[in-house]
Amino acid sequence: SFVVFFFFFFKQKTAYEMQRGLVGSEMCIRDRYQRRVHGIYFVRKMGRMHSWGKGISRRCLPYKRIPPSWLQLSVQDLSEQICKLARKGMTPSQIGVLLRDSHGIPQVKYITGSKILRILKKNGLAPKIPEDLFHLIKKAVSIRKHLERNKKDIDSKFRLILVESRIHRIARYYRLSEQLPANWKYQSATASALISQLK
């Protein structure tokens, strides 16, 4: 008697084989991790979207939440300096780096009690869209320009799918937290014009 074994191999669908409509919310839902405890679903915060990393690397701030002893700058002067740098076109992260490297200010919040972005919002100088979302859109625009010149670059097509998936995911978070209008939507056709307006 002969024993016959049948092996079935199921090929997982790649990003190239997915429909164009799956670039947005459906891919974001796929990347989301859920855990059920006593009938309640808990959604883990965004860590590494497209790799196996756990996303636990983070900064370690000092325990003392007081201004450093060497700093001789008042709260009013620091707030005015932040607004002055914002009027020059600097982003909140660029302002923080400049204050840290040039003026020895490790954390603006320890001195003023508010973060840089909150100070800018109070004075009406905050960016129109969040900085991390702006840089993701900027990256997607540059990849699309590259693909116009190099249409056979398959790896860049795949990276564009991943970047736009991040854009849709983070835009959904900002809409839910009311940091973006409820009708705001990323559109690749108008992304280049949006970046040029915000520069």
Side-chain angles (χ1 to χ4, degrees):
S1 62
F2 296 96
V3 179
V4 180
F5 295 96
F6 293 97
F7 295 96
F8 295 95
F9 296 96
F10 295 96
K11 183 178 178 293
Q12 188 176 3
K13 187 177 285 189
T14 62
Y16 308 115
E17 296 167 347
M18 291 181 181
Q19 296 178 2
R20 191 178 182 86
L22 289 180
V23 174
S25 59
E26 288 85 359
M27 285 186 69
C28 298
I29 293 169
R30 181 200 65 186
D31 293 328
R32 186 169 57 185
Y33 170 79
Q34 289 186 345
R35 184 166 59 92
R36 186 176 179 181
V37 178
H38 302 297
I40 302 172
Y41 285 95
F42 293 90
V43 181
R44 190 174 65 182
K45 297 293 183 182
M46 194 185 328
R48 299 284 184 270
M49 273 188 73
H50 306 298
S51 66
W52 294 106
K54 303 296 186 198
I56 61 173
S57 177
R58 59 178 61 86
R59 61 183 181 175
C60 184
L61 294 175
Y63 181 73
K64 286 186 176 182
R65 300 291 196 264
I66 57 174
S69 57
W70 68 81
L71 194 65
Q72 304 296 327
L73 196 64
S74 66
V75 176
Q76 186 66 26
D77 293 340
L78 181 56
S79 299
E80 288 177 0
Q81 194 165 4
I82 289 170
C83 295
K84 184 179 178 181
L85 293 171
R87 289 189 187 96
K88 290 182 179 179
M90 296 181 73
T91 62
S93 62
Q94 290 173 339
I95 293 170
V97 170
L98 183 68
L99 293 175
R100 182 197 65 192
D101 297 340
S102 302
H103 302 281
I105 299 171
Q107 287 288 321
V108 173
K109 189 177 180 181
Y110 296 168
I111 303 163
T112 62
S114 301
K115 293 183 178 180
I116 294 173
L117 186 60
R118 190 160 292 180
I119 294 170
L120 295 178
K121 282 181 179 178
K122 187 178 178 181
N123 292 276
L125 296 169
K128 292 182 180 179
I129 64 171
E131 191 178 352
D132 51 356
L133 180 60
F134 171 79
H135 286 296
L136 282 173
I137 295 173
K138 191 175 179 182
K139 183 185 284 189
V141 168
S142 66
I143 294 173
R144 282 192 179 276
K145 286 181 180 178
H146 170 79
L147 286 172
E148 287 176 3
R149 298 188 301 269
N150 307 277
K151 295 185 178 180
K152 293 185 178 181
D153 191 352
I154 299 175
D155 184 67
S156 293
K157 291 180 183 178
F158 176 66
R159 298 300 158 191
L160 178 63
I161 290 173
L162 299 188
V163 170
E164 290 190 337
S165 178
R166 291 192 195 105
I167 291 171
H168 289 295
R169 187 181 191 186
I170 200 168
R172 185 172 67 237
Y173 163 74
Y174 282 131
R175 284 196 301 268
L176 289 173
S177 59
E178 297 182 354
Q179 298 184 49
L180 281 175
N183 59 352
W184 193 93
K185 190 176 181 181
Y186 168 76
Q187 294 178 345
S188 59
T190 59
S192 182
L194 177 66
I195 292 297
S196 61
Q197 287 175 5
L198 296 174
K199 278 186 178 180

